[in-house]
Amino acid sequence: MADWGPLLTLTFLTTLLISGIRLAIPIFLAALGEIITERGGVLNLGLEGIMLAGALAGFMTAYAAEQSATPWLVGLAPWLGLGAGLIAGLLMGLIMAVLAVSLQTDQVVTSIMLVILGQGITTYVYRQQFSSLTARVTGMKPVPIPVLADLPLVGPVLFNHDLVTYGSLLLLAASLFFLYRTTWGLNIRAVGEHPAAAETSGVNVVAVRYGAVLLGAALTGLGGAVLTVAQLGIFNEGITAGRGWIAVALVIFARWRPERAFAGALLFGIATALQFRIQALNLEAIPYELLLMLPYVLTLLVLLQGGGRSVAPAALGRAYVKE
Amino acid sequence: MSDSVSPSSVTAPAEAGATGVLASRRRAGWLRQIAPLLAALAGVFLGLLAGAVLILLSGADPVAAYLAMFQGAFGGRRALMETVLKTTPLLLMGLGLTVAFRGQVWNIGGEGQYLMGALAGAVVGLGLQATLPPALVIPLMLLAGLVGGALWAAVAAFLKLRFQINEIISTLMLNYIAEYWLLYLVRVPLKDPESFLPQSAQLARSVRLPTLGDTRIHVGFLIALALVPLVYLLLWKTPLGFRIRAIGASQTVARYAGMSVSRGIVFALLFSGALAGLTGIMEVSALHTRLKAGILGGYGFSGILVALLGRLHPVGVLVAALFFAALTIGAQTMHSVYGLPMALAQVIQGLVVLFVLAADALARRWMMTR
């Protein structure tokens, strides 16, 4: 009989929730990006490849800055890394936009190709640049919010995170405002629902779709960089381990709403954290491979609840051909 | 935007040309015939060119590197043999996915289906190799591989039809699940007690796939080759194939025409899963000889590229599989001579498909205008 005692302590719960929130952030950023892209009517399934590109670009930039031994560069290293991840995402998004929006290629085919390209290029560049596999970056330190961080349980769980985590919460608020309260958001949604009607009322469908794809890919690339630069401090081939695909699944579960995507990402973060913790306890009763499966099984289960295809943007996945 | 345009980038040109009233405004017949081929060639050329830039950035001479690649893939009997050996899994995976993609069924779970086929086949082989004659065990192993892959794909088919879960996501999640499942099996219940490593017992020499003459090429290659005309016949000469292509062109139209869309989707998924499973057991039987962590050759994703580059036509898939195999085998030589990472083959494969997609779209536009 396994000893379940360690699972029931307050410390365990606290650390579980802390790392659950951390692990949720990269998936949330990618899912948020995809929501914006899909709201604009473009189905970009290439998140896994874009995240990988962001993860490597971010890692390499932060690593180079740290190795430079110039104090201010070292200090800025994580931020430069995040910026590089964002730009890498933007570039991947540009490929998608040129092909799928301008040339009207099949969006499914194009974005699957983007995944493969991202995997190939990151593996190639990483092998080319790092002969030893021990390269690390320091990552980001938690910034406790005064007074609030000292509260029991709530303090460490909610008010002792790195700036990226706080920033992601701001992004959630900003995205809700952007999508539902600004003209740009309205235009994106209109283009995703009925591009021809949007065009008639003076919206440049192609420009809006470029914007939606680029913004979405930039956020996805940022998510990848958060993973390597702020959290893990290392890069491996395929380090995203399906997080990009999980983000795609979350968009459906979230019914294309940012706040639901955040809740879904939290669920995954906590499930993943739980799997790490149980592994660390070394309970013989549960093979660790089955724990590693958990996030992927959970994705399928979550989709069983998701359904909701009917609320997808009406023009999702369809190229827009100007009459 | 009508349904008839969205799948256009991967459908054969002649069919795409038959849809829509624009046909009369298009360019002359012979140009329409060769334009897609020219576009494909231009795409391959541009992909290789982009790869050359990458090699240059890595500090090597692209011309010399590509020559080494070509030499490594085709220079001599051994090189050719390795290339043919590598063509086999790519061709099998690509053929299965051709059927699925023709029906717009986006099975990207080739890796999981490959692993489950390998698992089922190896278990049958290990269980029966001591009791039955090899002439019986080998076909049973291959059959188990087919069934294992098809069953894993059937999970995605069930989720799609019963719960409307997109097969792209379900097949992908099933890849990870299959991978961890296999890792668990070879670490605990199927572990070879003689070994310290997490791996199953070895298949007896007698139940490995027979090779042709004194080469390393095994009968799997012949099976894959035989499937080229069979898949062609299936897609273009049977009612089932017609149904799949109709579903691929437009589900709505196929439904109005009274076809069972769900049966077509199930068949497409199961067929591609079965071929992936067959690939898995063939690779295990002929090359790896046991179940272990490294048996996945990345064929799930390269199979997708092979099917797309082959323009979802069996003959095209054969050419694409050969091309990708040559790139992969050649990359090994490039690696040993110039120290360039072997992942370069994967990059070039991706770039080639990217440029073929773009060139194809441009050619299509050009044909639509006067």
Side-chain angles (χ1 to χ4, degrees):
Chain A
M1 188 60 207
D3 178 17
W4 294 93
L7 286 178
L8 303 171
T9 62
L10 186 67
T11 330
F12 182 84
L13 187 66
T14 315
T15 49
L16 177 74
L17 291 177
I18 292 173
S19 60
I21 291 173
R22 273 168 66 85
L23 290 162
I25 298 302
I27 298 178
F28 166 66
L29 289 173
L32 180 62
E34 183 65 8
I35 286 175
I36 294 170
T37 304
E38 290 195 14
R39 284 284 183 143
V42 179
L43 182 64
N44 184 358
L45 299 170
L47 302 194
E48 184 77 0
I50 299 172
M51 263 187 121
L52 266 177
L56 179 64
F59 175 78
M60 284 178 67
T61 308
Y63 183 77
E66 281 189 5
Q67 297 299 309
S68 71
T70 315
W72 65 271
L73 261 183
V74 175
L76 278 178
W79 301 104
L80 293 172
L82 294 181
L86 197 121
I87 291 168
L90 212 58
L91 289 176
M92 294 287 275
L94 191 62
I95 299 179
M96 180 73 193
V98 168
L99 284 170
V101 180
S102 294
L103 297 178
Q104 293 145 21
T105 57
D106 186 286
Q107 294 176 10
V108 173
V109 171
T110 310
S111 48
I112 290 178
M113 194 253 352
L114 219 55
V115 174
I116 299 171
L117 200 65
Q119 286 173 340
I121 287 184
T122 51
T123 305
Y124 177 76
V125 173
Y126 183 65
R127 290 262 178 91
Q128 182 73 27
Q129 299 295 322
F130 297 89
S131 43
S132 73
L133 300 173
T134 50
R136 292 193 69 90
V137 296
T138 33
M140 280 188 168
K141 289 189 179 46
V143 180
I145 295 179
V147 188
L148 290 175
D150 297 329
L151 295 169
L153 186 63
V154 183
V157 170
L158 294 182
F159 302 110
N160 189 19
H161 284 285
D162 56 26
L163 291 174
V164 169
T165 305
Y166 299 133
S168 301
L169 286 172
L170 291 180
L171 262 179
L172 169 60
S175 68
L176 287 171
F177 181 79
F178 173 77
L179 272 177
Y180 300 109
R181 294 276 180 274
T182 64
T183 320
W184 285 12
L186 180 71
N187 285 350
I188 288 180
R189 288 185 294 133
V191 161
E193 290 297 336
H194 203 317
E199 187 86 52
T200 316
S201 58
V203 178
N204 185 341
V205 171
V206 169
V208 168
R209 286 198 163 176
Y210 261 80
V213 171
L214 291 179
L215 185 56
L219 280 172
T220 307
L222 179 67
V226 167
L227 187 71
T228 50
V229 173
Q231 300 188 346
L232 301 177
I234 53 160
F235 182 87
N236 278 326
E237 285 153 32
I239 196 163
T240 45
R243 285 178 176 84
W245 293 104
I246 290 176
V248 173
L250 267 189
V251 173
I252 301 168
F253 164 78
R255 306 204 168 114
W256 291 266
R257 296 196 59 97
E259 73 282 7
R260 281 184 60 104
F262 187 75
L266 264 184
L267 181 67
F268 279 94
I270 292 170
T272 312
L274 187 65
Q275 161 245 308
F276 282 137
R277 314 262 135 202
I278 299 179
Q279 259 194 77
L281 292 175
N282 227 343
L283 299 177
E284 285 295 320
I286 311 169
Y288 71 88
E289 294 93 347
L290 300 190
L291 293 172
L292 288 170
M293 256 184 218
L294 210 63
Y296 311 104
V297 176
L298 190 67
T299 305
L300 290 178
L301 292 179
V302 145
L303 283 181
L304 293 183
Q305 300 304 312
R309 265 284 163 207
S310 54
V311 294
L316 182 60
R318 297 198 188 159
Y320 174 70
V321 188
K322 208 169 174 173
E323 295 300 321
Chain B
M1 175 69 200
S2 69
D3 273 323
S4 63
V5 188
S6 56
S8 62
S9 61
V10 289
T11 45
E15 288 169 12
T19 58
V21 286
L22 288 164
S24 57
R25 276 176 46 204
R26 290 184 186 155
R27 290 182 187 257
W30 66 275
L31 264 179
R32 271 171 55 193
Q33 292 296 317
I34 63 159
L37 186 67
L38 287 179
L41 285 176
V44 170
F45 176 74
L46 288 173
L48 290 174
L49 202 66
V53 173
L54 210 61
I55 297 173
L56 204 63
L57 289 175
S58 307
D61 175 6
V63 177
Y66 273 140
L67 276 177
M69 200 176 222
F70 187 81
Q71 194 70 26
F74 298 112
R77 189 181 127 91
R78 210 189 110 78
L80 272 171
M81 227 160 63
E82 291 301 313
T83 302
V84 169
L85 202 60
K86 200 68 167 178
T87 304
T88 307
L90 290 170
L91 177 54
L92 273 174
M93 296 293 265
L95 286 174
L97 292 175
T98 294
V99 172
F101 292 175
R102 277 274 168 191
Q104 293 269 305
V105 175
W106 299 109
N107 175 12
I108 53 174
E111 311 219 318
Q113 293 142 16
Y114 172 101
L115 287 178
M116 285 308 181
L119 172 66
V123 166
V124 165
L126 288 171
L128 298 178
Q129 62 188 12
T131 47
L132 289 179
L136 218 57
V137 178
I138 292 175
L140 282 177
M141 279 168 70
L142 296 183
L143 188 67
L146 279 169
V147 173
L151 282 179
W152 203 239
V155 178
F158 171 76
L159 290 172
K160 184 176 174 80
L161 296 182
R162 178 75 177 73
F163 297 101
Q164 284 88 48
I165 293 181
N166 188 315
E167 74 276 12
I168 295 176
I169 293 163
S170 64
T171 53
L172 204 101
M173 293 301 129
L174 288 166
N175 282 348
Y176 290 100
I177 295 171
E179 209 178 321
Y180 288 123
W181 177 233
L182 189 85
L183 286 181
Y184 165 67
L185 290 179
V186 298
R187 186 176 65 87
V188 186
L190 290 179
K191 184 174 178 295
D192 180 7
E194 310 276 299
S195 164
F196 289 110
L197 300 170
Q199 56 183 18
S200 76
Q202 197 170 27
L203 288 165
R205 196 160 287 278
S206 59
V207 298
R208 295 183 201 161
L209 286 184
T211 52
L212 310 178
D214 62 341
T215 67
R216 287 181 62 213
I217 299 168
H218 53 78
V219 292
F221 179 61
L222 298 184
I223 296 177
L225 272 188
L227 275 164
V228 172
L230 288 180
V231 167
Y232 175 81
L233 291 175
L234 168 73
L235 279 172
W236 279 278
K237 304 292 173 197
T238 66
L240 190 60
F242 178 72
R243 184 193 294 167
I244 289 172
R245 288 184 296 121
I247 293 169
S250 166
Q251 271 200 26
T252 324
V253 173
R255 200 168 279 126
Y256 275 124
M259 295 178 190
S260 165
V261 168
S262 53
R263 241 187 296 169
I265 289 173
V266 169
F267 177 81
L269 266 168
L270 262 56
F271 185 84
S272 52
L275 286 202
L278 181 65
T279 314
I281 184 55
M282 276 182 178
E283 292 287 296
V284 164
S285 162
L287 295 176
H288 306 292
T289 70
R290 59 170 98 227
L291 297 172
K292 55 186 174 187
I295 60 170
L296 197 60
Y299 298 120
F301 278 105
S302 29
I304 295 173
L305 292 181
V306 164
L308 294 177
L309 185 64
R311 312 182 67 82
L312 304 187
H313 189 288
V315 177
V317 171
L318 175 62
V319 176
L322 196 65
F323 175 57
F324 274 27
L327 276 178
T328 312
I329 296 298
Q332 292 171 6
T333 308
M334 211 166 55
H335 173 68
S336 55
V337 179
Y338 294 97
L340 293 165
M342 286 195 282
L344 187 63
Q346 204 194 349
V347 178
I348 295 176
Q349 289 166 2
L351 287 170
V352 162
V353 174
L354 181 132
F355 283 107
V356 168
L357 272 179
D360 190 57
L362 284 172
R364 206 169 289 281
R365 277 198 164 185
W366 175 79
M367 282 190 296
M368 302 277 273
T369 52
R370 275 180 174 278

